[in-house]
C-alpha cells in the first residue's frame, strides 16, 4: 500500500468514530441556567440602626483579610459580615476629626 493512501486511511479512521458513538460536536451540552433574579438573591441593608456611624457612605473597600471598610463623615467603620467596629475621634486618639 502506498504511504499516502495509508496515511489517509489512518486519518479517516481517527476522524470518523465507529457507528453508534457521537462526536464531541454531536454530544448534547448541558443547558445553561438563567441567572437568578434580584428577588431570588439575598441582600441586606445596613444603617445606623445596625451600627454604621452614618447612613451616607463615601468610600468602600475590602481588604485581603476579608473586612469591608466604610468611610463616612462620622467615622470609619470596619465590617466583618456581622457587626461594625467604629473608628472615630472618640475611639481612636489619632483621629482629629471623624471625616
Amino acid at each position: 500500500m502506498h504511504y499516502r493512501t495509508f496515511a489517509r486511511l489512518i486519518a479517516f479512521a481517527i476522524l470518523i468514530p465507529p457507528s453508534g458513538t457521537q462526536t464531541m460536536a454531536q454530544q448534547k451540552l448541558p443547558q445553561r441556567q438563567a441567572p437568578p433574579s434580584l428577588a431570588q438573591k439575598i441582600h441586606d441593608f445596613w444603617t445606623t440602626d445596625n451600627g454604621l456611624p452614618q447612613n451616607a457612605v463615601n468610600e468602600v473597600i475590602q481588604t485581603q483579610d476579608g473586612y469591608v471598610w466604610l468611610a463616612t463623615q462620622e467615622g470609619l467603620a470596619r465590617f466583618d459580615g456581622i457587626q461594625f467596629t467604629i473608628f472615630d475621634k472618640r475611639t481612636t486618639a489619632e483621629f482629629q476629626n471623624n471625616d
Side-chain angles (χ1 to χ4, degrees), residues 27-99:
Q27 292 175 0
K28 187 172 184 175
L29 298 175
Q31 293 290 327
R32 293 182 99 183
Q33 294 181 347
S37 69
L38 184 59
Q40 293 172 313
K41 294 183 179 184
I42 297 172
H43 57 279
D44 286 319
F45 295 95
W46 293 281
T47 65
T48 54
D49 293 338
N50 306 103
L52 193 60
Q54 183 183 24
N55 288 333
V57 175
N58 299 324
E59 297 286 334
V60 177
I61 65 166
Q62 184 172 15
T63 53
Q64 289 182 347
D65 57 4
Y67 288 110
V68 176
W69 292 82
L70 303 106
T72 73
Q73 290 182 349
E74 294 299 320
L76 183 63
R78 183 181 71 191
F79 187 60
D80 63 9
I82 298 172
Q83 64 184 4
F84 292 98
T85 301
I86 307 302
F87 301 89
D88 60 16
K89 65 182 183 181
R90 289 179 299 124
T91 63
T92 309
E94 293 79 11
F95 283 16
Q96 294 180 4
N97 62 53
N98 289 337
D99 191 15

